Amino acid sequence: MALSKTITLTNNFGESSEFNDAYVRVDRVEATKHLATAFVGYYKSGGEDFLVSLSVSFEPDLDGPNFIKQAYEHLKGLPEFEGAEDC
């Protein structure tokens, strides 16, 4: 399971680069009963060349699907992932 989305990254010199169909993958989730943190990696199209990572926190549903699936559902509900497609 992963997402595909066009992203724009800016380097330390202020130069922007656009990556069409970047591969967005939840690399791992750390969780307690009350808080889960998903560590998300962005990769060039195809999922091999690492670009950048971020972490996103959410409240897990202990009776719901596994935490990785919950992380993807949470990501798809965030404004910065609007338009992301399952891949």
Side-chain angles (χ1 to χ4, degrees), residues 12-67:
N12 293 339
F13 303 106
E15 301 166 335
S16 295
S17 298
E18 186 172 279
F19 297 91
N20 294 320
D21 298 322
Y23 190 79
V24 182
R25 181 176 71 206
V26 174
D27 290 325
R28 76 179 196 274
V29 176
E30 295 178 2
T32 66
K33 289 186 201 179
H34 306 288
L35 181 69
T37 301
F39 296 89
V40 181
Y42 287 83
Y43 300 83
K44 286 185 181 177
S45 182
E48 295 182 16
D49 296 324
F50 176 77
L51 297 170
V52 69
S53 64
L54 64 94
S55 61
V56 177
S57 295
F58 62 97
E59 187 175 340
D61 177 358
L62 300 179
D63 296 320
N66 68 60
F67 290 161

